[in-house]
Amino acid sequence: MTDAPRRLGSRRRPSAWSWLLAAALAAVAAAAPARGDGPDMPIGLVAERPPSGRFVQTERGWMVPYSMTIPGTEVAFEMVPIPGGDFRMGSPAGEKGRDDDEGPQFTVRVEPFWMGKHEVTWAEYRCYMETLDLLIHLAARGVRPQAKLDAVDAVTTPSAVFNTQFIYGNGEDPRLPAATMTQFAVRQYTKWLSGLTASFHRLPNEAEWEYACRAGTTSAWHFGDDPRQLGDYAWYEGSSDDTTHRVGLKKSNLWGIHDMHGNVAEWVLDQYDPRGYARAEGKTIPADAAILWPTKLGPRVLRGGCYESQANECRSAARFPSADDEWQTRDANFPHSPWWYNDEAALTVGFRIVRPLTEPPAKERVRFWDADTDSIRQAVKARQPFTAIGVADPKLAEEFKKHREQ
């Protein structure tokens, strides 16, 4: 799709919605890592086969769906188990609507993981945004001095929103999918969430995303090959009324995941290369080896299509390149914000998270979280007066509660 970046948001009408900034988070609770049904079982794992519902058997126990509250808040998110297995990534040559960047197909071996049942919502993402004031509040009282930018455990908060009417242009409902943030911002969100929950979270890689979307199917969409059914499963051009909608209102796929087609296009970890699949033609490779790690700012891959996408653009194999320069044309600052886009097309860009069953070693985790190019690192450093840098850990919410009450 040579014009894919323009298709992500090119038809949007100006919106009159504005975001009413909420008051402080209510009833902050002390943070503690959530656990499974035993002292050594992490959340989402149980020792015995559940009597009903969705579950995935592994050597470590039974993976089950779970809900986790972001420590220090009353905001919860839901995760569903994804079984391991092999699948053919990309689309076959005869699939209607297929683009050249969706092939050649190759086989990917995926390990079990949990994935967000929904796209990350504004309710969830705003908890991260409010960490800006939280860290400033604590640093002013000498509790948590701001961390050094190059510290391994440092998390940067997004800068304050300079144009709330644009950023929340599709409405103020906290159940709407969060949108307009850069890939670096959402990677830092997953680092922040990992620190608070003591559980490793990250963006999915492109292979994991497609595997989870397909849910064992080989059809154009996870429900089949008839585009007339898409409206039952997706907010897209033919059903969305040109705006995002609350997550989870449409039917899920066979593995219980909602909005994999449409609503907002979703960030994955990979650099976009229209000929990238050729490197694996005829091979079977593990999902982590299938990642095309970014070496430049863009383009990077977005998946799933959005509320303005045509039906064929929402297929399980459809890919979109980001258009970072185009999406920051209204940002008069130099360098541009490393956290926010400000073009209307970016209102169609969001994300969801995953949590692998097997976590990588601690020294390898920052690769999934931190800035991966000099241009991003320089932009973050240049914008330090507009952000806060701190360490996210399970004690952070408890400290925030204590100092807010003083």
Side-chain angles (χ1 to χ4, degrees):
M1 300 179 189
T2 57
D3 60 343
R6 292 180 176 82
R7 287 183 178 178
L8 287 176
S10 61
R11 294 180 296 275
R12 187 182 181 281
R13 297 187 301 270
S15 172
W17 289 89
S18 63
W19 182 274
L20 300 178
L21 290 176
L25 291 169
V28 180
R35 297 296 174 193
D37 67 349
D40 299 321
M41 298 288 278
I43 188 170
L45 272 180
V46 295
E48 297 183 2
R49 178 189 175 108
S52 61
R54 287 204 69 256
F55 50 80
V56 172
Q57 184 178 10
T58 75
E59 294 180 352
R60 295 171 53 188
W62 300 84
M63 296 172 63
V64 295
Y66 67 89
S67 176
M68 178 183 283
T69 299
I70 297 175
T73 81
E74 294 183 330
V75 177
F77 59 95
E78 297 178 78
M79 303 289 282
V80 297
I82 307 298
D86 292 1
F87 84 110
R88 295 283 286 170
M89 186 171 179
S91 59
E95 186 169 291
K96 186 176 180 181
R98 180 186 189 271
D99 205 344
D100 291 341
D101 66 352
E102 298 170 20
Q105 285 187 292
F106 61 100
T107 301
V108 182
R109 180 159 296 138
V110 181
E111 297 300 321
F113 61 96
W114 289 270
M115 176 175 256
K117 183 176 182 179
H118 311 114
E119 295 155 332
V120 171
T121 64
W122 276 121
E124 297 162 54
Y125 197 77
R126 285 201 56 195
C127 297
Y128 172 51
M129 292 168 62
E130 291 173 2
T131 306
L132 172 65
D133 291 335
L134 182 158
L135 292 176
I136 292 173
H137 173 91
L138 294 175
R141 286 155 179 77
V143 176
R144 279 180 177 251
Q146 288 217 26
K148 294 182 178 180
L149 186 61
D150 57 356
V152 172
D153 54 2
V155 174
T156 60
T157 61
S159 57
V161 176
F162 63 90
N163 185 344
T164 57
Q165 185 170 358
F166 166 72
I167 295 295
Y168 308 111
N170 283 330
E172 60 184 81
D173 193 320
R175 291 291 290 172
L176 290 175
T180 77
M181 57 286 300
T182 65
Q183 196 215 51
F184 168 70
V186 301
R187 284 160 64 112
Q188 285 283 285
Y189 172 89
T190 62
K191 184 177 185 178
W192 168 84
L193 184 65
S194 298
L196 287 183
T197 61
S199 297
F200 177 70
H201 297 84
R202 59 169 171 81
L203 283 176
N205 60 53
E206 190 173 10
E208 290 169 333
W209 191 98
E210 184 174 327
Y211 177 73
C213 178
R214 290 188 178 280
T217 67
T218 58
S219 50
W221 298 272
H222 62 62
F223 55 82
D225 290 314
D226 186 354
R228 292 174 296 184
Q229 298 179 37
L230 183 59
D232 293 335
Y233 297 86
W235 300 109
Y236 75 112
E237 184 186 44
S239 63
S240 70
D241 196 26
D242 205 23
T243 189
T244 54
H245 292 262
R246 283 186 169 194
V247 298
L249 296 181
K250 295 290 187 177
K251 293 181 180 178
S252 72
N253 70 4
L254 294 175
W255 287 346
I257 312 173
H258 294 263
D259 301 311
M260 293 297 278
H261 302 313
N263 217 11
V264 289
E266 300 178 16
W267 283 116
V268 293
L269 288 170
D270 303 62
Q271 187 92 49
Y272 175 81
D273 182 349
R275 296 172 294 278
Y277 288 7
R279 73 190 192 280
E281 185 174 8
K283 301 178 182 178
T284 297
I285 61 176
D288 57 355
I291 302 173
L292 186 59
W293 289 100
T295 58
K296 54 185 179 180
L297 181 60
R300 304 188 183 201
V301 180
L302 291 151
R303 282 301 201 120
C306 67
Y307 63 86
E308 293 191 338
S309 295
Q310 299 172 15
N312 69 293
E313 297 171 317
C314 296
R315 291 172 301 108
S316 299
R319 314 169 70 216
F320 296 88
S322 64
D324 300 74
D325 289 341
E326 295 179 25
W327 294 343
Q328 292 186 312
T329 53
R330 300 183 185 184
D331 189 345
N333 297 287
F334 183 82
H336 292 321
S337 170
W339 302 286
W340 299 105
Y341 295 125
N342 51 34
D343 185 84
E344 287 184 355
L347 288 168
T348 65
V349 176
F351 70 107
R352 77 176 71 220
I353 61 173
V354 300
R355 177 177 156 241
L357 175 63
T358 302
E359 298 184 354
K363 64 181 180 180
E364 297 179 11
R365 297 178 189 181
V366 292
R367 190 178 193 185
F368 297 94
W369 295 332
D370 290 352
D372 49 23
T373 68
D374 287 341
S375 62
I376 298 175
R377 284 186 282 269
Q378 291 167 4
V380 174
K381 185 176 181 179
R383 303 299 287 275
Q384 278 187 257
F386 306 101
T387 186
I389 305 170
V391 176
D393 57 35
K395 295 181 180 179
L396 183 60
E398 185 176 3
E399 292 172 346
F400 186 34
K401 176 185 177 181
K402 179 174 63 178
H403 284 273
R404 286 182 65 211
E405 291 176 344
Q406 290 178 350

